[in-house]
Amino acid sequence: MLLPLLVRRPLCSSVPLTRCLRAGLCGGRGRSSWAEPLLLRRRLPQRSYVQSRGRQRRSRTQEDEWKTRNRTALTYIAAAGVGMIGLSYAAVPLYRLYCQASGLGGTAVAGHDADQVETMTPVKERVLKITFNADTHSSMQWNFRPQQTEIYVVPGETALAFYRAKNPTDKAIIGISTYNVVPFEAGQYFNKIQCFCFEEQRLNPHEEVDMPVFFYIDPEFDVDPRMARVDTITLSYTFFEAKEGQKLPLPGYGSH
Amino acid sequence: MSTAMNFGSKSFKPRPPDKGSFPLDHFGECKDFKEKFMKCLSENSFDNSKCRLQSKDYLECRMDNQLMAKEPLEKLGFKDLVDPPPSQTDQNTKL
């Protein structure tokens, strides 16, 4: 703020100097006429020049310093912004890895493979009761019910269970089903070898069929501390009517 | 549980079956085997371990009638029932 004032003062004082130089009246007061204006002229510009140059030099370095500081700050901020965007993109596979490692959210724990069925041994000490539930969607006219209310299995042993479905109407109905396992954490140990779900099943008018479910409980169930108090697992199937051209969101099931 | 609208609550994710879907037994070709199995269950208070022979017979019937892909029984978890070992758990009559 001082800088413009300092610059302005020598300019203001130099204006009367030039005026009196032009008029030729300056040097009539007792000093030599030629020396005074010269002195004045020489002194004032010199002072202003020195002062302003000092101020300018300081201001220039200060400005440069500010500029470099601003530039580095902007670079850091830009890098942080880019880093944030990259992190948000990387978060998707990272979270998936974390879920698989910790088994959160019901994701498959270590991905059971079909060969396990051959090599697993039943854990005979741990008897589990599997109860069955059957539901239909409100607009679905099939009669759908389980043929046994419960079955006692042990982990590591394959088991068979039956449902029955009847089409009481006079027209063929195509149904498609999904299932649910309660309690939630036990669902990851419930492995179905073969069932009737996720595929369109067609029932002719007045037809009744048996629908088997072939499953087993993973032997790891016995070792999991979270499952220590679980003795009952409920398997619940729900049938929906499959309309022409309507695609239900199925969990990646396409092989048949 | 799967319809709870809590943010962050775990929802059940159904998984497709390992060997796919059973074709429907429209003609009831294996109905007898199923009846035997159900009878065995009701006699043994629904203990699956005691009726494994009947379930094996039912699955064999399905395989014979093109209602199931043919697989060696060991792959279906019937390794102990294939060869007649002394550790067979089933002692019940078939009927």
Side-chain angles (χ1 to χ4, degrees):
Chain A
M1 262 188 44
L2 289 170
L3 191 63
L5 284 170
L6 286 167
V7 172
R8 247 184 256 140
R9 234 186 266 140
L11 281 172
C12 297
S13 50
S14 66
V15 166
L17 177 65
T18 49
R19 237 190 258 147
C20 69
L21 274 173
R22 274 196 222 121
L25 299 162
C26 288
R29 288 263 174 96
R31 294 198 198 156
S32 50
S33 55
W34 58 270
E36 201 176 329
L38 272 173
L39 282 169
L40 281 168
R41 213 188 303 150
R42 218 184 290 143
R43 216 180 298 145
L44 287 170
Q46 222 176 30
R47 189 176 63 195
S48 71
Y49 176 62
V50 166
Q51 272 187 351
S52 61
R53 189 175 65 184
R55 291 274 180 263
Q56 272 174 13
R57 201 188 294 139
R58 227 175 297 160
S59 69
R60 209 186 303 138
T61 52
Q62 212 173 21
E63 269 183 21
D64 284 341
E65 199 188 317
W66 287 342
K67 263 190 213 157
T68 46
R69 234 189 277 163
N70 286 346
R71 215 172 288 145
T72 47
L74 274 172
T75 318
Y76 277 123
I77 291 171
V82 169
M84 291 289 179
I85 293 175
L87 204 65
S88 60
Y89 274 107
V92 174
L94 283 175
Y95 184 67
R96 205 177 299 148
L97 282 171
Y98 167 70
C99 277
Q100 277 185 352
S102 65
L104 282 179
T107 50
V109 174
H112 74 280
D113 51 336
D115 297 335
Q116 192 190 17
V117 184
E118 250 181 296
T119 53
M120 66 185 181
T121 51
V123 182
K124 293 219 186 281
E125 308 84 42
R126 187 83 185 269
V127 179
L128 298 167
K129 180 165 122 171
I130 315 280
T131 51
F132 299 95
N133 186 32
D135 282 317
T136 50
H137 187 60
S138 52
S139 60
M140 176 57 143
Q141 288 158 312
W142 286 5
N143 296 333
F144 179 57
R145 61 187 192 284
Q147 293 194 35
Q148 66 284 307
T149 46
E150 65 207 16
I151 196 170
Y152 293 89
V153 300
V154 295
E157 200 173 60
T158 52
L160 190 62
F162 287 94
Y163 282 80
R164 178 173 294 157
K166 181 176 164 68
N167 181 3
T169 64
D170 290 329
K171 54 179 175 45
I173 295 177
I174 301 173
I176 196 164
S177 68
T178 183
Y179 76 101
N180 198 356
V181 176
V182 180
F184 169 78
E185 290 85 6
Q188 59 185 349
Y189 294 106
F190 188 88
N191 303 316
K192 296 187 315 302
I193 298 174
Q194 206 160 359
C195 74
F196 53 89
C197 41
F198 307 124
E199 263 237 343
E200 290 181 353
Q201 311 286 358
R202 185 194 166 91
L203 274 188
N204 295 318
H206 304 285
E207 188 178 0
E208 187 172 11
V209 288
D210 301 312
M211 291 173 159
V213 182
F214 194 45
F215 64 93
Y216 67 96
I217 310 284
D218 201 311
E220 300 265 323
F221 183 92
D222 194 37
V223 192
D224 193 338
R226 291 177 298 171
M227 302 287 129
R229 299 230 193 100
V230 175
D231 290 321
T232 307
I233 298 176
T234 302
L235 174 65
S236 177
Y237 273 92
T238 309
F239 254 102
F240 300 89
E241 188 170 344
K243 295 200 174 47
E244 291 297 321
Q246 191 182 54
K247 280 234 162 243
L248 290 176
L250 303 174
Y253 181 61
S255 65
H256 186 62
Chain B
M1 195 178 292
S2 57
T3 54
M5 288 299 175
N6 317 329
F7 175 72
S9 75
K10 299 172 271 192
S11 66
F12 180 76
K13 286 182 180 51
R15 277 180 281 138
D18 291 344
K19 298 209 193 315
S21 171
F22 276 126
L24 286 187
D25 184 9
H26 289 280
F27 302 110
E29 286 151 342
C30 296
K31 204 171 164 95
D32 294 332
F33 291 94
K34 184 216 71 160
E35 291 296 338
K36 284 183 202 153
F37 176 70
M38 297 305 298
K39 198 159 173 119
C40 166
L41 276 187
S42 55
E43 278 166 10
N44 290 295
S45 59
F46 296 102
D47 189 356
N48 176 65
S49 319
K50 300 213 167 60
C51 298
R52 298 200 61 227
L53 200 64
Q54 281 80 356
S55 60
K56 174 175 89 82
D57 290 337
Y58 177 78
L59 292 175
E60 275 176 339
C61 164
R62 274 213 158 224
M63 284 195 252
D64 293 335
N65 288 301
Q66 312 288 326
L67 291 170
M68 188 171 157
K70 275 201 184 291
E71 294 236 11
L73 287 172
E74 293 87 8
K75 282 213 154 66
L76 298 171
F78 291 114
K79 159 171 71 151
D80 52 328
L81 295 178
V82 173
D83 350 287
S87 60
Q88 199 169 344
T89 54
D90 186 288
Q91 298 295 328
N92 298 314
T93 60
K94 280 215 179 169
L95 193 72

